[in-house]
C-alpha cells in the first residue's frame, strides 16, 4: 500500500460523525395506535394527526375505534387492531399493561416487519400510590421484542400526560420523549415522529435493556403530579 492509499484509508476511517439531529422525514408514514380509544392513545393520535400525520386508531372492536376516530377528527380513521396493524408503517402500542402480552401475541403476524413503538408502563397501585412492576422479560418493551421476533421494536412516549395531549387549548407539549431501541435508523424514525408534535423532541436514551427504568419513572411522575396538582413531563438538559 502506498502512502497515498494509506492516507485515503485513514480519511475514510475518520469520516465525520453523523449529526444526531439529522433525522429522517417521516411525514408520509402511516401511524397506527393500538389502544387508540384509551386516553394516552387518543391523545397521541390527536397530536400526530393535528401535525399532519396519517393516523389509524385500533381497538378490539372496530365500531368503538371508528367512534373515537370521529371524535378526534383531523382525518383519523378507526379499525380493529389487526387491520390497524396491517395498514400502518409505524404501530404505537398504548394498550393497558394487563392486556399487553395477549394483544401483541395475537397480532404477531400483522406486526411482522413493522416498526413497533411500545409506550406501555407496567405499574401497580395501592394505598401508597403508584409503583413500578418488573415483567419477567425486564420491561414491557422487552416483552414486546420477545413476543414479536419479526418486528422492529422500540420504546418511547412513556412520560406524556394524556390530559395535556387531549387538550385542544394547548398548542405545544413542553417535553422530551426518551426513545430506546436496538437499531439507530429505527430510533431516529421514532425521534422524528416525536418531533412532529410542537414542543416535543425525541432523545435517544439507550437500548431496550434500559427500558425498565424509563417505564418505571412514570410512577415518580404520578407522585409529582399528585403533590403539585400538575401534569409533569421531562426535559433533558445540555442536549
Amino acid at each position: 500500500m502506498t502512502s497515498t492509499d494509506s492516507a485515503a484509508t485513514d480519511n475514510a476511517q475518520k469520516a465525520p460523525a453523523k449529526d444526531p439531529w439529522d433525522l429522517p422525514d417521516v411525514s408520509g408514514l402511516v401511524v397506527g395506535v393500538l389502544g387508540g380509544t384509551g386516553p394516552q392513545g387518543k391523545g397521541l393520535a390527536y397530536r400526530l394527526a393535528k401535525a399532519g400525520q396519517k393516523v389509524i386508531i385500533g381497538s378490539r372492536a372496530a365500531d368503538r375505534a371508528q367512534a373515537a376516530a370521529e371524535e378526534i377528527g383531523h382525518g383519523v380513521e378507526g379499525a380493529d387492531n389487526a387491520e390497524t396493524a396491517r395498514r400502518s408503517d409505524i404501530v404505537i402500542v398504548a394498550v393497558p399493561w394487563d392486556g399487553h402480552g395477549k394483544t401483541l401475541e395475537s397480532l404477531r403476524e400483522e406486526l411482522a416487519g413493522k416498526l413497533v413503538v411500545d409506550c406501555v408502563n407496567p405499574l401497580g397501585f395501592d394505598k401508597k400510590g403508584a409503583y413500578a412492576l418488573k415483567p419477567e422479560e425486564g420491561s414491557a418493551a422487552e416483552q414486546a421484542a420477545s413476543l414479536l421476533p419479526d418486528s422492529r421494536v422500540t420504546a418511547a412516549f412513556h412520560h406524556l400526560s394524556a390530559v395535556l395531549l387531549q387538550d385542544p387549548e394547548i398548542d405545544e407539549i413542553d417535553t422530551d420523549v426518551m426513545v430506546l431501541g436496538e437499531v439507530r435508523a429505527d430510533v431516529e424514525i421514532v425521534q422524528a415522529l416525536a418531533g412532529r408534535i410542537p414542543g416535543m423532541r425525541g432523545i435517544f436514551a439507550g437500548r431496550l435493556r434500559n427500558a425498565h427504568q424509563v417505564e418505571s419513572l412514570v410512577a415518580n411522575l404520578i407522585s409529582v403530579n399528585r403533590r403539585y396538582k400538575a401534569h409533569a413531563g421531562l426535559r433533558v438538559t445540555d442536549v
Side-chain angles (χ1 to χ4, degrees):
M1 179 182 292
T2 67
S3 58
T4 302
D5 291 336
S6 178
T9 300
D10 289 343
N11 288 334
Q13 291 174 344
K14 295 176 182 178
K18 185 178 185 297
D19 180 353
W21 296 112
D22 181 15
L23 301 174
D25 178 9
V26 297
S27 60
L29 299 180
V30 178
V31 179
V33 184
L34 304 182
T37 59
Q40 187 180 27
K42 282 177 71 175
L44 280 169
Y46 167 65
R47 290 292 165 177
L48 289 169
K50 188 178 179 183
Q53 209 75 35
K54 175 59 185 173
V55 178
I56 307 169
I57 59 172
S59 175
R60 285 177 295 179
D63 56 350
R64 187 178 174 203
Q66 289 160 2
E70 289 179 10
E71 181 183 340
I72 296 168
H74 296 282
V76 175
E77 294 184 42
D80 63 37
N81 283 331
E83 183 181 346
T84 298
R86 281 194 296 268
R87 293 178 57 195
S88 302
D89 301 302
I90 305 173
V91 180
I92 298 173
V93 182
V95 300
W97 166 240
D98 58 6
H100 181 263
K102 285 186 178 180
T103 299
L104 296 184
E105 195 169 19
S106 71
L107 297 171
R108 182 177 295 166
E109 182 177 340
E110 290 83 358
L111 290 171
K114 306 288 184 177
L115 176 53
V116 174
V117 187
D118 201 296
C119 66
V120 175
N121 303 303
L123 298 176
F125 295 86
D126 60 18
K127 292 181 180 179
K128 295 181 180 180
Y131 60 94
L133 304 174
K134 188 160 189 180
E136 181 180 345
E137 297 85 354
S139 64
E142 288 169 295
Q143 183 183 90
S146 176
L147 293 171
L148 303 172
D150 298 320
S151 302
R152 297 140 53 207
V153 176
T154 60
F157 301 117
H158 302 90
H159 306 136
L160 306 181
S161 164
V163 173
L164 298 184
L165 287 173
Q166 295 184 85
D167 189 342
E169 299 299 316
I170 295 175
D171 293 325
E172 295 189 0
I173 305 295
D174 181 22
T175 193
D176 286 332
V177 172
M178 301 180 79
V179 184
L180 303 96
E182 300 301 318
V183 179
R184 179 164 184 165
D186 292 339
V187 169
E188 290 180 346
I189 289 171
V190 181
Q191 287 180 262
L193 186 66
R196 295 272 288 160
I197 300 175
M200 279 191 198
R201 295 187 307 173
I203 304 288
F204 172 65
R207 294 179 178 267
L208 289 186
R209 67 180 184 179
N210 291 320
H212 171 66
Q213 55 264 37
V214 173
E215 296 168 1
S216 300
L217 189 57
V218 174
N220 302 89
L221 290 177
I222 290 172
S223 297
V224 170
N225 290 338
R226 287 181 173 175
R227 174 62 62 89
Y228 299 101
K229 304 294 187 275
H231 301 293
L234 295 178
R235 277 294 188 199
V236 180
T237 62
D238 199 34
V239 176

